[in-house]
Amino acid sequence: MGKIIDSGIIALTLLAPALGGSTQLWAQAILLLGMGAIIVARPPQHLPSKGITITAVGLLLLGAAAFLPASLASWPWRHELSTQYGLTLSGTITAQPWITLEGYFLLLIGIIWAIYLQSHQFELRRKVIFISYAVGIVTLALLALAVYLTKTDFPLWKPLNGPFGFFPNRNHTANVLAIGGLICFSLAYCNYTKKNKVGWLWICAYLIIGVALVINYSRAGILIFFGGSAVWFVWATWAEGRKQDLAIGLSVLLLLMAGFILYGGKTSKRFVGPAESAASPERGMGFRILIQKDAFELYKSAGWHGIGLGNFESVFARYRDASANGYRAVHPESDWLLIGTELGWLAPFLVFLGVGFLFVKDWPRAGEPNFLLRSSAVVAVLMFIAHGFIDVPGHRFGTLMGALLLAALIARKDKTMQRIVRLPIIFRFGMVPLCVVALWWLIPQGAKYNIANSRDIARIKQEIIRSYGEKRHAQIIKLADIGLRHAPLDWWFYFNRGIGKAWVMSDPEEAVRDFHLAYYLEPHYPRLPLEEGQLWASREPELAIKAFQRALLSAPAIQKEDIMNTIIRKMGSDLNLQMNWLKENATNPVIVLKVLAQLRGDQFQEGVSRIMTRSADLDHWSNEQLAEFLNLWESNGKAEELEKFLVDHPKYQKMAWRAMARQKASQKEFQAACEIVLSSVTAPALPVADSSRSEDKLLHAMMFQNDFVAGYSFFLIQMKNQKTNEALRVLEQLTTRPGCPKYLFFVDAELKSKMADWVGAWNSLQEFLASRS
């Protein structure tokens, strides 16, 4: 019976990552039922060490503290939601008690499983357990590689960062694979020390996992894989006095690392290439640090009791400053900051205390049975803890269960521990309500019941999305109301309820209130007000402009131009919107120029009037922006209005040479027009004259080979010989041919100016200027 239970523990540990990382509630329910079956079949007879037990009880008490009265916590965001927006939040510290309750169940399950494993007396040989675990991880790696290479859609796996992996997050896939690779490496060395050829199979397994990690594209996985292997190998060989093995093994690892750097493709470039942008899809380390910096501010304000499990994503946006210009953050890029904010200040220290008790009590020493494997488990657990400083593997059952099993395998066998008579009964009866909860999680409740879980909230959101397609806006409002009963800090429900109200209600005030609530809870997501602006565009122009302004203000610097272009595109040809947008942004030359470029004639002049009403002085514009503005006016507006403006503002006349020249030409003052252009425009680069051919050959090339450089060279010879009329005829022949270089029009204009042919000079300048507009 004992060996069957041990096999069940191993199977459940491997099932956790296989079920898409067990990030979904249904997968967690399956794991809970499996844990319940194992614990009921063979409950623990004793508790682990006092230190680990104290840690477990302390974490459970901190988790329960979220249900204490709200008067114990005083956060500005909670006060503002109540006073400014009229929200009636829960009377507990956690503003979302149903979400926190679900999180507490998951915490309870994890702690019970950790205690069970620490107190469990394995009947399978420890080496067999290590082998079974490693074989399972290699099998997962092979399956993931097969899915990737064959481009198969595996239903349970939904990787979001690329086509490889069983977790949505590639770093969590990498965590499982890298720790499994470390165990494979230790098994290979164990067999090597006993001159067992099976060791070569483990080396192959190690390499397979290495290939999977390269494809997975995670830096953290590579660091755990190579770093963990090196740390463990140095410790193990040094402790056992195998210095020759140490030199050989490190050489092999260095060769593998060199191979990775040379042939690791995009993954290796993440280490040796340029730093990643803060807002890039790769989400570089620099931006993680900014998120952690802001999360630390939330951690400091969380208090000893925390903000309640499951509340980080809903609250964090109000604390973002350094990281405000990046992607939305659903966690703080750190296990320790996450438990510190949700469970309170003491939670990380309690976990460290429990791990410390485990290591002090059961630290492997050379000469002890299974030293090599137990020491590899220690390094694996340490790597797991270290990864928790830059990601959240400790909050995913798919990663956590492997770490808990390895932590249990560190302990020495101790059959002298005192048996607690009633403990099996407590565990058996305690698992019954938890299994009932698991069954409830597996049965979707949707919008039919007042109590819902995260799976049902997700289903409500899906139903809202479907309702859009069917234009059931009243249904959207109803569903959003249900969602908000269980997730009152979820901006998504407020925003979509606002959309529903905007379509159903004649008075927009209620919809605007919901939009503002959504922006309060998520102030750094410009796509929300952008969508609101489009919603109001045809019905409430003033509200549309305010929404567009909010989108522009909340956009990160790297996205502002894209947001501006999107706003202008969404306005379409709505003149009223364009005019109001111009007036609102009259002091922003970038927006002004983008809008004016869409207008013509009277509309353009109306736009200019709106600008001048708000900003009579354009001195804060750059010379390039002023020149573009005046050129747009000259091309799209009214010439007489531009001339009047230039008379009233002579300081801009120098930049408006093009407009002034065309104004003079329209009044038949071609000499003045040409003189303005020739004194303002930069002369074009001219080709080097061809002196290698005779005059006859140049003429032949010009006439029969359409050689413009030969023609220009022939023109220069005529000018040198003071044959001005012949030179002019050469230019006339060249400029009438298709494909004539624009510099020849400039040369023609200069020559005609010297000959006082101002009309001809102006026509040639027009051709030349057309190439530079």
Side-chain angles (χ1 to χ4, degrees):
M1 179 67 175
K3 292 183 178 181
I4 295 175
I5 295 297
D6 292 351
S7 299
I9 291 173
I10 298 167
L12 206 59
T13 301
L14 294 170
L15 183 64
L19 292 176
S22 297
T23 59
Q24 299 295 315
L25 197 62
W26 63 266
Q28 294 159 3
I30 291 173
L31 293 180
L32 174 52
L33 291 173
M35 294 173 190
I38 289 172
I39 291 174
V40 168
R42 192 178 183 185
Q45 304 297 312
H46 56 78
L47 291 174
S49 66
K50 290 183 179 179
I52 294 175
T53 304
I54 290 171
T55 296
V57 173
L59 289 174
L60 290 176
L61 290 175
L62 285 175
F67 298 99
L68 293 173
S71 57
L72 294 175
S74 56
W75 295 301
W77 56 267
R78 183 157 185 155
H79 176 73
E80 289 168 3
L81 285 173
S82 299
T83 57
Q84 296 182 22
Y85 296 97
L87 286 190
T88 303
L89 297 175
S90 165
T92 56
I93 288 175
T94 171
Q96 303 183 112
W98 288 114
I99 290 176
T100 300
L101 182 62
E102 182 180 306
Y104 190 75
F105 275 126
L106 293 173
L107 174 69
L108 179 61
I109 293 161
I111 288 176
I112 288 175
W113 189 245
I115 289 176
Y116 180 77
L117 291 178
Q118 284 295 318
S119 60
H120 182 69
Q121 292 292 327
F122 290 96
E123 294 189 15
L124 284 174
R125 288 173 54 220
R126 197 164 311 217
K127 185 174 181 179
V128 172
I129 299 174
F130 274 103
I131 290 172
S132 301
Y133 173 75
V135 167
I137 299 300
V138 174
T139 302
L140 279 174
L142 286 170
L143 182 57
L145 286 169
V147 169
Y148 172 78
L149 294 173
T150 60
K151 298 181 180 180
T152 305
D153 183 20
F154 195 72
L156 296 179
W157 298 352
K158 303 295 181 184
L160 300 178
N161 307 114
F164 181 90
F166 24 90
F167 283 82
N169 188 321
R170 64 169 172 242
N171 292 316
H172 299 160
T173 296
N175 180 284
V176 171
L177 291 176
I179 288 175
L182 172 58
I183 302 304
C184 290
F185 190 65
S186 66
L187 286 165
Y189 185 65
C190 285
N191 283 280
Y192 168 80
T193 59
K194 297 175 182 178
K195 303 188 182 304
N196 192 332
K197 293 182 179 180
V198 176
W200 290 106
L201 292 177
W202 288 114
I203 288 293
C204 291
Y206 184 73
L207 294 175
I208 288 170
I209 289 178
V211 170
L213 285 169
V214 170
I215 294 174
N216 186 61
Y217 195 60
S218 168
R219 286 177 295 190
I222 295 295
L223 289 173
I224 295 172
F225 185 70
F226 285 122
S229 298
V231 168
W232 170 77
F233 193 70
V234 170
W235 174 20
T237 52
W238 189 271
E240 292 197 330
R242 297 175 176 269
K243 295 183 180 179
Q244 185 176 359
D245 291 351
L246 174 60
I248 295 172
L250 286 180
S251 298
V252 172
L253 280 174
L254 287 172
L255 284 173
L256 290 174
M257 291 173 67
F260 163 71
I261 292 172
L262 291 173
Y263 304 108
K266 293 182 179 179
T267 307
S268 65
K269 289 179 182 177
R270 297 192 75 194
F271 290 92
V272 298
E276 293 167 323
S277 166
S280 69
E282 289 81 8
R283 303 184 176 189
M285 182 57 67
F287 192 65
R288 286 173 182 261
I289 293 173
L290 296 180
I291 288 178
Q292 292 177 350
K293 180 181 178 182
D294 289 336
F296 186 68
E297 295 300 317
L298 176 54
Y299 169 78
K300 289 191 296 184
S301 71
W304 64 268
H305 41 67
I307 61 174
L309 289 165
N311 283 321
F312 178 88
E313 180 183 356
S314 301
V315 175
F316 179 53
R318 299 300 314 167
Y319 290 81
R320 294 187 71 176
D321 181 20
S323 66
N325 285 339
Y327 58 84
R328 290 193 65 252
V330 299
H331 59 72
E333 304 290 352
S334 168
D335 275 322
W336 311 112
L337 283 173
L338 188 51
I339 64 172
T341 55
E342 293 191 341
L343 292 179
W345 296 335
L346 295 175
F349 300 101
L350 273 176
V351 177
F352 287 134
L353 184 67
V355 174
F357 276 119
L358 170 65
F359 285 161
V360 168
K361 176 178 174 290
D362 294 309
W363 189 263
R365 294 173 178 83
E368 293 180 343
N370 295 306
F371 164 71
L372 292 177
L373 292 175
R374 289 174 58 230
S375 61
S376 70
V378 168
V379 175
V381 172
L382 288 173
M383 288 293 162
F384 185 84
I385 291 171
H387 191 197
F389 282 99
I390 57 171
D391 207 340
V392 290
H395 284 73
R396 297 289 180 260
F397 274 101
T399 49
L400 179 63
M401 290 188 67
L404 292 178
L405 175 61
L406 293 174
L409 295 174
I410 295 170
R412 300 181 183 89
K413 287 189 175 182
D414 188 357
K415 297 183 179 181
T416 63
M417 296 183 71
Q418 184 177 0
R419 184 175 182 271
I420 302 175
V421 177
R422 295 184 180 178
L423 191 64
I425 299 174
I426 293 173
F427 266 81
R428 276 177 171 151
F429 279 96
M431 289 308 297
V432 172
L434 289 179
C435 288
V436 171
V437 170
L439 290 172
W440 174 58
W441 285 349
L442 284 173
I443 302 172
Q445 307 299 313
K448 299 178 182 178
Y449 299 89
N450 289 327
I451 300 176
N453 52 49
S454 58
R455 186 185 184 191
D456 293 323
I457 289 174
R459 290 171 66 89
I460 292 172
K461 289 184 176 182
Q462 291 172 0
E463 182 61 29
I464 287 176
I465 293 171
R466 281 194 294 270
S467 297
Y468 276 118
E470 300 168 4
K471 297 184 179 181
R472 293 184 296 151
H473 299 109
Q475 178 71 358
I476 291 171
I477 299 172
K478 179 182 177 182
L479 290 168
D481 285 337
I482 295 171
L484 287 169
R485 286 205 294 267
H486 312 297
L489 299 185
D490 193 326
W491 63 266
W492 195 92
F493 283 126
Y494 288 112
F495 186 76
N496 284 278
R497 189 174 71 176
I499 293 176
K501 288 179 178 179
W503 283 105
V504 171
M505 299 180 179
S506 56
D507 186 355
E509 184 176 347
E510 281 295 313
V512 170
R513 177 180 175 276
D514 276 347
F515 288 139
H516 286 178
L517 259 169
Y519 302 147
Y520 180 86
L521 293 169
E522 183 45 77
H524 309 295
Y525 194 31
R527 295 292 169 182
L528 299 184
L530 201 59
E531 191 172 336
E532 184 202 349
Q534 185 176 17
L535 175 71
W536 295 124
S538 60
R539 293 177 292 166
E540 300 285 344
E542 290 186 8
L543 292 178
I545 294 299
K546 289 180 180 179
F548 287 145
Q549 282 294 96
R550 183 185 293 275
L552 195 60
L553 290 173
S554 62
I558 196 172
Q559 296 180 15
K560 281 195 183 295
E561 185 170 0
D562 178 56
I563 294 295
M564 279 190 284
N565 292 334
T566 304
I567 290 171
I568 291 171
R569 189 169 60 251
K570 288 182 181 296
M571 286 181 180
S573 58
D574 190 321
L575 183 61
N576 188 30
L577 273 181
Q578 291 171 335
M579 293 300 120
N580 287 331
W581 180 242
L582 266 179
K583 186 176 180 180
E584 195 70 26
N585 294 278
T587 58
N588 187 329
V590 177
I591 295 177
V592 167
L593 293 173
K594 284 182 178 294
V595 176
L596 287 179
Q598 315 295 316
L599 304 177
R600 301 289 185 274
D602 292 338
Q603 295 179 358
F604 186 93
Q605 291 304 144
E606 175 66 18
V608 172
S609 298
R610 296 293 179 103
I611 298 166
M612 297 306 169
T613 302
R614 290 292 301 273
S615 178
D617 197 343
L618 306 179
D619 287 349
H620 64 286
W621 290 33
S622 69
N623 288 340
E624 292 77 11
Q625 290 168 338
L626 281 169
E628 184 180 351
F629 170 63
L630 295 170
N631 284 333
L632 282 172
W633 196 339
E634 188 273 331
S635 301
N636 302 338
K638 295 182 177 180
E640 61 274 15
E641 294 294 333
L642 175 58
E643 185 177 8
K644 181 181 178 183
F645 172 80
L646 292 174
V647 170
D648 295 338
H649 301 82
K651 58 185 175 181
Y652 300 135
Q653 289 181 6
K654 188 175 180 180
M655 295 177 187
W657 59 265
R658 188 192 298 256
M660 292 176 64
R662 291 186 176 175
Q663 179 66 14
K664 293 293 183 182
S666 68
Q667 297 171 355
K668 308 299 182 181
E669 298 178 22
F670 294 108
Q671 179 178 352
C674 291
E675 288 173 348
I676 291 171
V677 174
L678 290 172
S679 64
S680 303
V681 74
T682 303
L686 299 174
V688 178
D690 186 349
S691 59
S692 63
R693 289 183 282 184
S694 66
E695 189 173 341
D696 290 340
K697 289 183 177 180
L698 290 173
L699 179 60
H700 184 275
M702 181 188 79
M703 296 297 295
F704 300 105
Q705 298 175 12
N706 212 33
D707 188 333
F708 291 104
V709 174
Y712 175 68
S713 301
F714 186 69
F715 158 79
L716 291 178
I717 292 174
Q718 303 307 310
M719 290 295 295
K720 184 178 179 181
N721 295 331
Q722 298 183 353
K723 296 180 179 180
T724 306
N725 291 329
E726 287 80 356
L728 185 60
R729 281 195 290 272
V730 170
L731 288 177
E732 287 174 351
Q733 283 208 23
L734 291 172
T735 54
T736 57
R737 295 186 180 184
C740 174
K742 296 301 179 182
Y743 66 82
L744 288 175
F745 289 102
F746 184 82
V747 173
D748 186 61
E750 281 191 318
L751 180 56
K752 287 178 178 176
S753 296
K754 291 177 182 178
M755 299 175 69
D757 180 7
W758 299 112
V759 174
W762 174 250
N763 291 333
S764 292
L765 284 175
Q766 287 287 84
E767 291 288 341
F768 173 69
L769 291 175
S771 68
R772 298 165 66 91
S773 60

